[in-house]
Short mmCIF file of all heavy atoms in Angstrom, two decimals:
data_model
loop_
_atom_site.label_atom_id
_atom_site.label_comp_id
_atom_site.label_asym_id
_atom_site.label_seq_id
_atom_site.Cartn_x
_atom_site.Cartn_y
_atom_site.Cartn_z
N TYR A 5 -50.33 -15.61 1.05
CA TYR A 5 -49.16 -14.82 1.51
C TYR A 5 -48.68 -14.08 0.36
O TYR A 5 -48.39 -14.56 -0.76
CB TYR A 5 -48.03 -15.81 1.92
CG TYR A 5 -48.28 -16.57 3.19
CD1 TYR A 5 -48.96 -17.79 3.11
CD2 TYR A 5 -47.79 -16.05 4.38
CE1 TYR A 5 -49.23 -18.46 4.42
CE2 TYR A 5 -48.08 -16.72 5.61
CZ TYR A 5 -48.80 -17.92 5.57
OH TYR A 5 -49.02 -18.54 6.75
N LEU A 6 -48.63 -12.69 0.60
CA LEU A 6 -48.20 -11.75 -0.44
C LEU A 6 -47.12 -10.93 -0.02
O LEU A 6 -46.92 -10.68 1.12
CB LEU A 6 -49.41 -10.85 -0.86
CG LEU A 6 -50.71 -11.68 -1.22
CD1 LEU A 6 -51.80 -10.58 -1.42
CD2 LEU A 6 -50.46 -12.48 -2.55
N THR A 7 -46.39 -10.35 -0.99
CA THR A 7 -45.41 -9.36 -0.58
C THR A 7 -46.18 -8.05 -0.17
O THR A 7 -47.28 -7.86 -0.47
CB THR A 7 -44.46 -9.08 -1.83
OG1 THR A 7 -45.26 -8.56 -2.84
CG2 THR A 7 -43.74 -10.29 -2.33
N LEU A 8 -45.32 -7.15 0.32
CA LEU A 8 -45.95 -5.89 0.75
C LEU A 8 -46.50 -5.20 -0.44
O LEU A 8 -47.68 -4.59 -0.40
CB LEU A 8 -44.94 -4.99 1.39
CG LEU A 8 -45.29 -3.55 1.81
CD1 LEU A 8 -46.49 -3.67 2.72
CD2 LEU A 8 -44.19 -2.80 2.38
N SER A 9 -45.84 -5.14 -1.54
CA SER A 9 -46.47 -4.49 -2.70
C SER A 9 -47.67 -5.11 -3.25
O SER A 9 -48.66 -4.43 -3.60
CB SER A 9 -45.38 -4.37 -3.89
OG SER A 9 -45.05 -5.73 -4.24
N GLY A 10 -47.83 -6.42 -3.02
CA GLY A 10 -49.02 -7.11 -3.45
C GLY A 10 -50.18 -6.78 -2.48
O GLY A 10 -51.27 -6.60 -3.00
N VAL A 11 -49.96 -6.64 -1.22
CA VAL A 11 -51.02 -6.23 -0.22
C VAL A 11 -51.45 -4.82 -0.64
O VAL A 11 -52.73 -4.49 -0.59
CB VAL A 11 -50.50 -6.31 1.23
CG1 VAL A 11 -51.53 -5.73 2.06
CG2 VAL A 11 -50.11 -7.72 1.55
N LEU A 12 -50.54 -3.92 -0.87
CA LEU A 12 -50.97 -2.54 -1.17
C LEU A 12 -51.87 -2.57 -2.43
O LEU A 12 -52.81 -1.83 -2.51
CB LEU A 12 -49.71 -1.65 -1.36
CG LEU A 12 -48.89 -1.56 -0.11
CD1 LEU A 12 -47.62 -0.70 -0.52
CD2 LEU A 12 -49.65 -0.86 1.04
N LEU A 13 -51.34 -3.37 -3.45
CA LEU A 13 -52.16 -3.47 -4.64
C LEU A 13 -53.58 -4.01 -4.36
O LEU A 13 -54.55 -3.52 -4.88
CB LEU A 13 -51.44 -4.38 -5.59
CG LEU A 13 -52.10 -4.54 -6.99
CD1 LEU A 13 -52.30 -3.25 -7.72
CD2 LEU A 13 -51.25 -5.49 -7.89
N ALA A 14 -53.65 -5.05 -3.55
CA ALA A 14 -54.92 -5.73 -3.31
C ALA A 14 -55.86 -4.70 -2.57
O ALA A 14 -57.03 -4.59 -2.97
CB ALA A 14 -54.78 -6.97 -2.47
N SER A 15 -55.40 -4.11 -1.57
CA SER A 15 -56.26 -3.17 -0.75
C SER A 15 -56.68 -1.99 -1.55
O SER A 15 -57.89 -1.60 -1.43
CB SER A 15 -55.43 -2.69 0.49
OG SER A 15 -54.30 -2.00 0.20
N SER A 16 -55.79 -1.50 -2.29
CA SER A 16 -56.22 -0.33 -3.13
C SER A 16 -57.18 -0.84 -4.28
O SER A 16 -58.04 0.04 -4.75
CB SER A 16 -55.01 0.37 -3.68
OG SER A 16 -54.25 -0.52 -4.56
N ALA A 17 -57.02 -1.94 -4.75
CA ALA A 17 -57.94 -2.43 -5.84
C ALA A 17 -59.29 -2.54 -5.42
O ALA A 17 -60.17 -2.32 -6.11
CB ALA A 17 -57.34 -3.84 -6.36
N LEU A 18 -59.49 -2.89 -4.12
CA LEU A 18 -60.80 -3.05 -3.61
C LEU A 18 -61.50 -1.69 -3.52
O LEU A 18 -62.71 -1.57 -3.54
CB LEU A 18 -60.79 -3.67 -2.22
CG LEU A 18 -60.40 -5.18 -2.13
CD1 LEU A 18 -60.15 -5.58 -0.67
CD2 LEU A 18 -61.44 -6.06 -2.70
N ILE A 19 -60.78 -0.63 -3.38
CA ILE A 19 -61.34 0.68 -3.24
C ILE A 19 -61.30 1.42 -4.64
O ILE A 19 -62.42 1.97 -4.93
CB ILE A 19 -60.43 1.56 -2.32
CG1 ILE A 19 -60.37 0.82 -0.99
CG2 ILE A 19 -61.03 3.01 -2.16
CD1 ILE A 19 -59.45 1.42 0.03
N ALA A 20 -60.32 1.34 -5.37
CA ALA A 20 -60.27 1.97 -6.67
C ALA A 20 -59.33 1.30 -7.57
O ALA A 20 -58.15 1.45 -7.73
CB ALA A 20 -59.78 3.44 -6.54
N PRO A 21 -59.90 0.22 -8.22
CA PRO A 21 -59.01 -0.59 -9.19
C PRO A 21 -58.31 0.10 -10.19
O PRO A 21 -57.17 -0.23 -10.49
CB PRO A 21 -60.10 -1.59 -9.82
CG PRO A 21 -61.34 -1.50 -8.83
CD PRO A 21 -61.43 -0.15 -8.29
N ALA A 22 -58.73 1.30 -10.61
CA ALA A 22 -58.09 1.92 -11.73
C ALA A 22 -56.74 2.56 -11.21
O ALA A 22 -55.83 2.81 -12.08
CB ALA A 22 -58.98 2.97 -12.33
N THR A 23 -56.66 2.74 -9.91
CA THR A 23 -55.45 3.43 -9.40
C THR A 23 -54.57 2.51 -8.54
O THR A 23 -53.59 2.94 -7.93
CB THR A 23 -55.81 4.68 -8.49
OG1 THR A 23 -56.57 4.14 -7.40
CG2 THR A 23 -56.59 5.70 -9.28
N ALA A 24 -54.79 1.21 -8.70
CA ALA A 24 -54.07 0.28 -7.82
C ALA A 24 -52.63 0.21 -8.10
O ALA A 24 -51.71 0.35 -7.12
CB ALA A 24 -54.60 -1.13 -8.04
N MET A 25 -52.22 0.21 -9.32
CA MET A 25 -50.81 0.07 -9.66
C MET A 25 -50.02 1.41 -9.26
O MET A 25 -48.96 1.34 -8.63
CB MET A 25 -50.58 -0.15 -11.15
CG MET A 25 -49.08 -0.23 -11.52
SD MET A 25 -48.36 -1.81 -10.73
CE MET A 25 -49.16 -2.99 -11.74
N ALA A 26 -50.61 2.49 -9.47
CA ALA A 26 -49.95 3.75 -9.07
C ALA A 26 -49.76 3.87 -7.60
O ALA A 26 -48.69 4.29 -7.10
CB ALA A 26 -50.74 5.04 -9.56
N GLN A 27 -50.74 3.38 -6.85
CA GLN A 27 -50.52 3.47 -5.35
C GLN A 27 -49.48 2.54 -4.88
O GLN A 27 -48.76 2.88 -3.94
CB GLN A 27 -51.88 3.11 -4.62
CG GLN A 27 -52.96 4.21 -4.80
CD GLN A 27 -54.19 3.86 -4.10
OE1 GLN A 27 -54.21 2.94 -3.35
NE2 GLN A 27 -55.25 4.76 -4.21
N THR A 28 -49.37 1.46 -5.55
CA THR A 28 -48.27 0.49 -5.19
C THR A 28 -46.90 1.13 -5.35
O THR A 28 -46.00 0.99 -4.46
CB THR A 28 -48.36 -0.80 -5.98
OG1 THR A 28 -49.69 -1.36 -5.83
CG2 THR A 28 -47.28 -1.82 -5.59
N GLN A 29 -46.75 1.80 -6.43
CA GLN A 29 -45.42 2.40 -6.68
C GLN A 29 -45.09 3.54 -5.78
O GLN A 29 -43.88 3.84 -5.54
CB GLN A 29 -45.34 2.77 -8.20
CG GLN A 29 -45.48 1.65 -9.15
CD GLN A 29 -45.43 2.07 -10.59
OE1 GLN A 29 -45.80 3.23 -10.85
NE2 GLN A 29 -45.30 1.16 -11.45
N THR A 30 -46.01 4.31 -5.37
CA THR A 30 -45.68 5.45 -4.48
C THR A 30 -45.84 5.20 -3.02
O THR A 30 -45.63 6.23 -2.21
CB THR A 30 -46.62 6.63 -4.91
OG1 THR A 30 -48.03 6.19 -4.64
CG2 THR A 30 -46.54 6.94 -6.37
N GLN A 31 -46.11 4.05 -2.62
CA GLN A 31 -46.23 3.71 -1.18
C GLN A 31 -44.91 4.02 -0.46
O GLN A 31 -43.87 3.49 -0.94
CB GLN A 31 -46.65 2.25 -0.89
CG GLN A 31 -46.75 1.81 0.50
CD GLN A 31 -47.94 2.53 1.17
OE1 GLN A 31 -48.93 2.76 0.50
NE2 GLN A 31 -47.76 2.83 2.40
N PRO A 32 -44.83 4.73 0.64
CA PRO A 32 -43.64 4.95 1.38
C PRO A 32 -42.93 3.64 1.80
O PRO A 32 -43.75 2.63 2.04
CB PRO A 32 -43.97 5.84 2.54
CG PRO A 32 -45.35 6.46 2.15
CD PRO A 32 -45.99 5.57 1.24
N GLN A 33 -41.69 3.66 1.95
CA GLN A 33 -40.97 2.38 2.23
C GLN A 33 -41.34 1.77 3.58
O GLN A 33 -41.51 0.64 3.64
CB GLN A 33 -39.46 2.73 2.24
CG GLN A 33 -38.60 1.60 2.81
CD GLN A 33 -37.18 2.01 2.95
OE1 GLN A 33 -36.70 2.89 2.26
NE2 GLN A 33 -36.45 1.36 3.80
N ASP A 34 -41.49 2.57 4.54
CA ASP A 34 -41.63 2.03 5.89
C ASP A 34 -43.18 1.99 6.33
O ASP A 34 -43.40 1.83 7.48
CB ASP A 34 -40.92 2.88 6.89
CG ASP A 34 -39.34 2.75 6.58
OD1 ASP A 34 -38.98 1.65 6.35
OD2 ASP A 34 -38.74 3.78 6.47
N ALA A 35 -44.08 2.33 5.44
CA ALA A 35 -45.50 2.26 5.82
C ALA A 35 -45.86 0.88 6.14
O ALA A 35 -45.33 -0.13 5.46
CB ALA A 35 -46.34 2.74 4.64
N VAL A 36 -46.73 0.62 7.16
CA VAL A 36 -47.05 -0.72 7.67
C VAL A 36 -48.54 -0.76 7.42
O VAL A 36 -49.37 -0.31 8.33
CB VAL A 36 -46.67 -1.01 9.07
CG1 VAL A 36 -47.05 -2.33 9.34
CG2 VAL A 36 -45.12 -0.84 9.20
N PRO A 37 -49.16 -1.38 6.34
CA PRO A 37 -50.60 -1.48 6.27
C PRO A 37 -51.24 -2.48 7.10
O PRO A 37 -50.48 -3.23 7.84
CB PRO A 37 -50.70 -1.86 4.76
CG PRO A 37 -49.51 -2.62 4.39
CD PRO A 37 -48.41 -2.04 5.23
N ALA A 38 -52.49 -2.45 7.26
CA ALA A 38 -53.17 -3.41 8.21
C ALA A 38 -52.86 -4.75 7.59
O ALA A 38 -52.74 -5.12 6.50
CB ALA A 38 -54.65 -3.12 8.17
N ALA A 39 -52.86 -5.74 8.66
CA ALA A 39 -52.47 -7.08 8.25
C ALA A 39 -53.70 -7.77 7.57
O ALA A 39 -53.53 -8.75 6.88
CB ALA A 39 -52.11 -7.89 9.51
N GLU A 40 -54.90 -7.29 7.87
CA GLU A 40 -56.05 -7.95 7.18
C GLU A 40 -56.88 -6.78 6.50
O GLU A 40 -57.09 -5.74 7.11
CB GLU A 40 -56.84 -8.68 8.21
CG GLU A 40 -56.20 -9.81 8.84
CD GLU A 40 -57.17 -10.67 9.77
OE1 GLU A 40 -58.32 -10.40 9.72
OE2 GLU A 40 -56.61 -11.59 10.40
N ALA A 41 -57.18 -7.01 5.32
CA ALA A 41 -58.04 -6.10 4.58
C ALA A 41 -59.47 -6.57 4.45
O ALA A 41 -59.64 -7.80 4.36
CB ALA A 41 -57.44 -5.75 3.18
#
Side-chain angles (χ1 to χ4, degrees):
Y5 291 87
L6 304 174
T7 62
L8 175 59
S9 59
V11 173
L12 297 175
L13 178 61
S15 61
S16 59
L18 293 171
I19 301 171
T23 60
M25 183 63 73
Q27 291 185 4
T28 301
Q29 293 175 342
T30 59
Q31 178 69 34
Q33 170 185 335
D34 298 312
V36 183
E40 296 187 7

